[in-house]
Amino acid sequence: MAQHIRFIASLIALSLCLPTLLSAHDNPLRTLRAAAVNNDDDDGQHGSVKGHVVTQDGRPAAFVTILVKGTDPSTRTKGTTTAEDGSYQLRHLPVGEHTLVVSFVGLQTLEQAITIQPGQTTQLDLTLQETARQLDEVQVRGYKSANQVPVSVGKVAIKPMDLPQSVAVIDRDVLDRQQTLRLSDVLMNTNGVYVMGTTGGYQEEIAARGFAFNSSNTFKNGARYNNSAMPEISSLERVEVLKGSSAILFGNVAAGGILNLVTKKPRFDGGGQVAMRVGSFGFYKPSFDVYGGITQHVAFRLNGTYENSRSFRDEVNGERIYVNPSLLIKLGNRTEFLLEADYLKDNRTLDFGIGAINYAIPDLPRNRFLGTSWGYIRTEQASSTATLTHRLTDAWQVRATGSVQRFNNDLFGTNRPNASNQLIKTNGDWVRGLQRTGINETYWIGQVDFTGNVSTGRIKHTLLLGADADQYRTNTTAYNPLAVYDTVNVFNPAKFRLRQDIPTLTTRQLTEAPINRAGVYVQDLVALSEQWKLLAGMRWSYQQTSSTVTTLADKKATTATTFDDAFTPRLGLVYQPRQTTALFVSYANSFAVNTGVDIAGNALPPSFINQYEAGIKNDLFNGFLSANATVYQIRNSNLAQTSLQNGNTNTNIKELAGEVTSRGLEIDVKSKTMQGISFLAGYSYNETRYTQSNTFVVGSLLRYNPNHTANASVFYTVQRMGFGKGVQLGLTAFYMGERVAGRSTRVTVANDAYRLIPLPAYTQLNASVGYVKTRYAIRASATNLLNALSYNVHDDNSINPIAPRQVSATLSWNW
């Protein structure tokens, strides 16, 4: 961990030193500081310009340089780069005529005159030509629809309209308007992707289409991210979701989809923000975000936050620190180098909720806490990512990424209720034991992608060729548990005198679990005509999984290693009867590595999962509204379950005798802003059942997955001139349908005591209001206005109630 802290410190120091190293005569930081004074566009002397830059074929032009031409000291160093969706903004420009110089590798440099009006933001959307001929005019286009903006996690710039797969993107504007704090808040906007549990109160377990996401399904800037800690939302530019199988791109991932967190990127236009958020239960959170150009070729960004909070749960509190520096260096007309890092320290009270009594949730107050006040979960997480992008020609690009991540976790406190055969009795008495676990994990990944466009006659190809390799080194330290610490009554905490001392638990065993993976893949989007497009690809993956368990008392160790490889194909067909409508069908295959051995003692082969998907995507009303619908079936027809041969009862001896089938429907609607109004909505239906099993009841539902989810958000911004201009209103509704937890009934056990726990459906209603000006913003939000009650449950031993009604307010200052 120390090396990550030194790395972040070095990066910050480099950001401060580069002006002196790279510019002996001109100090742009002086200009940035000068520009920070009196930069309110409402002063009648200044204005702004914003818009989108696209290429000739309508694709977003990311990282395009936009500079203000001239020798006026107030504008000479003014500039910015476009974001990955092609958007840009230049603030605090003097009123009058200016010339924007727009340039990027492989695209014709453009000079465009612009008139800045006092106190106004001018909309200027630009199209850059890819030919060498002189431009005669500038094409003006509106904002792109949700079906036109590619997602970066797809590795190649394919518009969602051309992709035979369901895609969802939640951008920064929605995150700000809704005042999102946790990933669960973000996922209220993504139907079919949901939080399935909040074990211990320190993580949010995610699932989609009936399949749980693990760390292999969660990404940050395209690199795998350990989701055992709650990610920091304030640092995100957007959240991307690719639903369904993405095994061809990333190898061993669950079938439900992948989630990519995209952090804020460096910008050449100087600016920043400081903010303070306060809320219910003693919550407060200061944050900052600073960015700017160090030279014409180097830009930086640094954002961070501190958070301190109590909880609606008695004796529960949390504290976290986060910092996210990044640096962008333009090494030439064709090459860019992006360096990103982040560090998170999260400490909070260990809270496994209220537990179940005979597989039923007891009627307890929402604030009832059954753990110890000194119990804790302490997490440190740091990552460093370097990305080198080089345009080989106007048509071909290579991108190389290397990333390293460290994750340390120390958990110490009471056992989960009902764990270790210490069940909560009918009268509420529960014998509490103690547990402790330590996790130390290091993760490395390197990947190279070649992307390009070629033509074979009249047929056009968008190609992706790539390779990746990654390693996990996970060491888990288990401690000797304390079977009996004390006894508590869940209905009457005053019934027993509770212990407050902190015993010392000795270490018991160390489990080392290295994973080595590698893969190569190729994918081609073939435009057979304007109407027909074919997406085809194949990936070969190799994975080596080991486990060494060492008993620390006698240093005895046992080691097991498995080797797996798999081919995972992808095939999809898109028909576009017109530019605004696309119908698609697709097939994809993924695999899941199995633990345990077969009846002969051999390692189990991986399970292969087949997914079929069909849908329609529409851009309606001249692109104002995107409306998409998808149906799917996902089937794991060789699910590993305990072998029943020869009366076997060893759960480590398994056979591929089970089958799980997931079927569903998803509907997504998203609008652009018109007259200050925008909205998004969605609905999903999913049914995931055991369709074949030698262990559980055939036809029974898999746990944690709701049959129905729905969401709707509407936003309004006052646009008329006057004091009311800048007022923002928002309303969000989220529905989580009925689902089950507990433990699935086993048909192989006579008089099996296992039972499923039905969880009630609920609707959460959130509201937000804001007043947003150029230099400051005041926002307030209220969540769970109806004070709905439901639970996030893992098995029958971590039953955490959802938060009640809460309010918060944020004041931010921009420059």
Side-chain angles (χ1 to χ4, degrees):
M1 187 58 62
Q3 63 265 37
H4 289 279
I5 298 175
R6 289 195 296 270
F7 170 78
I8 294 171
S10 299
L11 185 57
I12 297 172
L14 180 61
S15 301
L16 299 176
C17 294
L18 274 173
T20 303
L21 297 174
L22 299 177
S23 180
H25 303 288
D26 178 34
N27 187 348
L29 288 180
R30 185 183 304 115
T31 305
L32 294 178
R33 286 193 294 266
V37 182
N38 299 323
N39 68 337
D40 192 342
D41 287 353
D42 291 336
D43 61 5
Q45 301 299 318
H46 296 85
S48 303
V49 59
K50 68 177 182 179
H52 278 68
V53 179
V54 298
T55 56
Q56 191 175 1
D57 60 358
R59 294 178 177 176
F63 307 120
V64 170
T65 300
I66 302 175
L67 297 174
V68 180
K69 184 179 181 180
T71 57
D72 184 347
S74 67
T75 62
R76 188 164 66 90
T77 58
K78 269 288 184 179
T80 187
T81 56
T82 57
E84 290 192 8
D85 63 354
S87 64
Y88 75 94
Q89 183 173 18
L90 282 168
R91 296 198 299 260
H92 196 67
L93 294 176
V95 170
E97 298 287 338
H98 299 281
T99 299
L100 301 184
V101 180
V102 186
S103 62
F104 186 72
V105 174
L107 302 176
Q108 177 69 40
T109 298
L110 167 68
E111 293 190 7
Q112 172 64 22
I114 183 72
T115 301
I116 299 300
Q117 302 292 338
Q120 300 295 314
T121 297
T122 301
Q123 181 76 30
L124 181 64
D125 297 329
L126 304 172
T127 299
L128 292 181
Q129 305 291 331
E130 297 179 356
T131 64
R133 64 182 178 85
Q134 183 66 32
L135 291 178
D136 295 324
E137 62 180 357
V138 174
Q139 301 178 32
V140 179
R141 301 193 180 190
Y143 285 110
K144 292 197 165 303
S145 73
N147 286 327
Q148 297 296 324
V149 181
V151 291
S152 61
V153 74
K155 294 191 176 183
V156 61
I158 298 176
K159 294 181 294 185
M161 186 67 80
D162 296 338
L163 189 67
Q165 187 172 8
S166 182
V167 177
V169 177
I170 307 302
D171 55 32
R172 186 70 240 176
D173 181 62
V174 173
L175 301 181
D176 284 338
R177 285 174 176 266
Q178 294 181 338
Q179 290 291 275
T180 53
L181 182 64
R182 299 286 181 252
L183 191 55
S184 54
D185 302 328
V186 180
L187 297 183
M188 287 184 179
N189 302 292
T190 58
N191 71 82
V193 184
Y194 43 87
V195 172
M196 57 180 282
T198 53
T199 300
Y202 59 86
Q203 70 173 128
E204 294 178 324
E205 300 164 308
I206 305 166
R209 296 183 172 183
F211 294 87
F213 283 16
N214 52 33
S215 293
S216 292
N217 288 68
T218 307
F219 296 79
K220 178 177 283 188
N221 298 321
R224 281 185 168 91
Y225 172 82
N226 192 317
N227 62 5
S228 296
M230 291 180 286
E232 179 54 46
I233 303 301
S234 66
S235 69
L236 300 184
E237 193 66 48
R238 66 183 181 277
V239 176
E240 302 174 339
V241 179
L242 276 178
K243 300 180 184 179
S245 176
S246 294
I248 186 176
L249 299 176
F250 300 101
N252 182 20
V253 293
I258 60 174
L259 185 73
N260 186 42
L261 312 175
V262 182
T263 58
K264 297 174 180 177
K265 306 303 180 186
R267 295 174 56 172
F268 280 89
D269 57 322
Q273 180 187 87
V274 291
M276 171 62 82
R277 179 172 180 171
V278 296
S280 301
F281 305 107
F283 177 92
Y284 65 92
K285 182 176 184 176
S287 62
F288 69 93
D289 182 13
V290 183
Y291 52 84
I294 299 174
T295 72
Q296 187 177 359
H297 302 288
V298 181
F300 78 97
R301 191 156 196 165
L302 178 64
N303 62 81
T305 186
Y306 171 80
E307 180 183 312
N308 193 296
S309 64
R310 295 192 297 274
S311 169
F312 67 95
R313 305 273 296 154
D314 292 343
E315 301 186 67
V316 174
N317 56 72
E319 180 183 45
R320 58 195 276 138
I321 299 171
Y322 179 82
V323 63
N324 173 213
S326 57
L327 196 68
L328 175 64
I329 304 174
K330 291 182 175 291
L331 299 176
N333 292 333
R334 293 180 175 271
T335 308
E336 292 182 339
F337 181 68
L338 178 62
L339 188 61
E340 301 172 282
D342 67 351
Y343 171 77
L344 171 69
K345 182 176 182 180
D346 185 286
N347 297 334
R348 58 189 61 247
T349 305
L350 186 63
D351 179 16
F352 287 114
I354 61 176
I357 300 178
N358 295 325
Y359 294 94
I361 299 176
D363 183 15
L364 295 177
R366 186 157 16 193
N367 63 323
R368 181 65 47 84
F369 174 64
L370 302 183
T372 62
S373 59
W374 54 262
Y376 63 79
I377 174 76
R378 297 171 181 168
T379 302
E380 279 190 289
Q381 189 170 30
S383 69
S384 308
T385 303
T387 303
L388 182 67
T389 304
H390 177 66
R391 185 168 288 275
L392 301 167
T393 67
D394 290 349
W396 283 91
Q397 174 184 282
V398 59
R399 174 175 293 182
T401 300
S403 182
V404 59
Q405 178 187 141
R406 290 290 303 272
F407 178 86
N408 294 306
N409 181 276
D410 183 13
L411 180 153
F412 189 18
T414 56
N415 289 331
R416 305 182 187 198
N418 296 326
S420 302
N421 294 318
Q422 294 288 9
L423 305 180
I424 302 177
K425 297 179 180 179
T426 304
N427 68 352
D429 289 351
W430 173 45
V431 177
R432 299 192 300 182
L434 295 183
Q435 61 170 324
R436 186 174 183 182
T437 304
I439 299 175
N440 180 281
E441 179 182 276
T442 305
Y443 173 70
W444 297 271
I445 184 171
Q447 54 189 6
V448 178
D449 294 309
F450 291 89
T451 58
N453 300 297
V454 296
S455 296
T456 54
R458 302 178 64 179
I459 298 177
K460 298 179 181 179
H461 302 262
T462 301
L463 284 166
L464 165 67
L465 302 97
D468 56 34
D470 62 353
Q471 292 183 336
Y472 275 103
R473 294 293 181 266
T474 305
N475 296 335
T476 303
T477 302
Y479 291 74
N480 289 305
L482 182 62
V484 178
Y485 178 62
D486 62 6
T487 302
V488 63
N489 185 276
V490 302
F491 298 114
N492 180 17
K495 180 178 179 180
F496 299 100
R497 182 179 180 87
L498 304 181
R499 290 178 60 176
Q500 299 297 328
D501 60 303
I502 307 176
T504 299
L505 302 186
T506 58
T507 57
R508 178 169 54 91
Q509 72 178 29
L510 173 66
T511 301
E512 300 168 277
I515 298 175
N516 300 316
R517 289 186 292 213
V520 292
Y521 44 92
V522 59
Q523 176 182 277
D524 188 9
L525 175 65
V526 185
L528 302 171
S529 66
E530 290 294 327
Q531 289 77 35
W532 292 95
K533 296 175 182 177
L534 175 69
L535 183 70
M538 176 72 74
R539 178 189 177 99
W540 176 79
S541 299
Y542 169 82
Q543 181 161 326
Q544 175 186 336
T545 305
S546 300
S547 177
T548 300
V549 179
T550 303
T551 304
L552 298 178
D554 54 14
K555 302 300 182 182
K556 290 183 178 180
T558 58
T559 300
T561 301
T562 60
F563 303 89
D564 295 293
D565 66 322
F567 285 95
T568 49
R570 179 184 193 181
L571 185 66
L573 185 65
V574 179
Y575 172 60
Q576 298 176 334
R578 51 181 179 271
Q579 290 185 343
T580 57
T581 300
L583 297 93
F584 70 89
V585 293
S586 69
Y587 164 77
N589 179 275
S590 58
F591 70 98
V593 176
N594 291 311
T595 59
V597 297
D598 63 17
I599 197 70
N602 301 314
L604 281 178
S607 296
F608 288 91
I609 305 168
N610 295 308
Q611 173 167 308
Y612 303 88
E613 189 168 345
I616 182 171
K617 301 180 182 181
N618 287 285
D619 282 344
L620 307 173
F621 309 113
N622 198 28
F624 167 71
L625 185 69
S626 297
N628 306 332
T630 305
V631 294
Y632 61 87
Q633 175 178 284
I634 307 172
R635 176 168 291 169
N636 183 351
S637 58
N638 50 4
L639 182 70
Q641 296 189 322
T642 301
S643 174
L644 301 184
Q645 295 187 43
N646 304 322
N648 171 64
T649 59
N650 185 345
T651 56
N652 191 55
I653 300 176
K654 302 177 181 179
E655 57 184 339
L656 302 182
E659 181 182 83
V660 167
T661 302
S662 169
R663 298 184 178 95
L665 162 71
E666 295 168 349
I667 299 174
D668 295 281
V669 178
K670 188 174 184 180
S671 80
K672 297 191 292 187
T673 301
M674 180 176 290
Q675 296 183 347
I677 299 176
S678 64
F679 61 89
L680 59 88
Y683 165 77
S684 74
Y685 169 79
N686 173 266
E687 181 183 83
T688 306
R689 296 182 180 273
Y690 288 106
T691 47
Q692 182 176 322
S693 179
N694 65 358
T695 305
F696 303 113
V697 176
V698 173
S700 61
L701 291 170
L702 263 69
R703 297 171 297 168
Y704 318 126
N705 301 298
N707 283 138
H708 305 274
T709 65
N711 65 281
S713 297
V714 60
F715 308 105
Y716 173 65
T717 300
V718 177
Q719 295 184 320
R720 61 181 176 81
M721 298 299 294
F723 178 78
K725 183 178 181 181
V727 171
Q728 296 182 345
L729 304 174
L731 189 65
T732 297
F734 173 73
Y735 173 78
M736 173 73 83
E738 293 180 351
R739 57 214 190 282
V740 295
R743 299 178 184 272
S744 298
T745 302
R746 299 165 296 182
V747 296
T748 56
V749 177
N751 301 316
D752 183 27
Y754 282 3
R755 296 291 182 272
L756 293 175
I757 301 175
L759 302 177
Y762 68 93
T763 299
Q764 184 168 325
L765 190 65
N766 302 337
S768 62
V769 60
Y771 184 59
V772 181
K773 303 298 287 183
T774 303
R775 296 188 63 179
Y776 65 90
I778 303 172
R779 300 180 186 271
S781 66
T783 58
N784 199 2
L785 287 171
L786 304 178
N787 214 31
L789 175 63
S790 190
Y791 302 87
N792 290 306
V793 182
H794 184 91
D795 293 339
D796 63 334
N797 53 35
S798 184
I799 300 177
N800 297 81
I802 65 173
R805 184 185 302 112
Q806 297 184 88
V807 297
S808 66
T810 303
L811 174 63
S812 61
W813 184 264
N814 309 303
W815 67 89

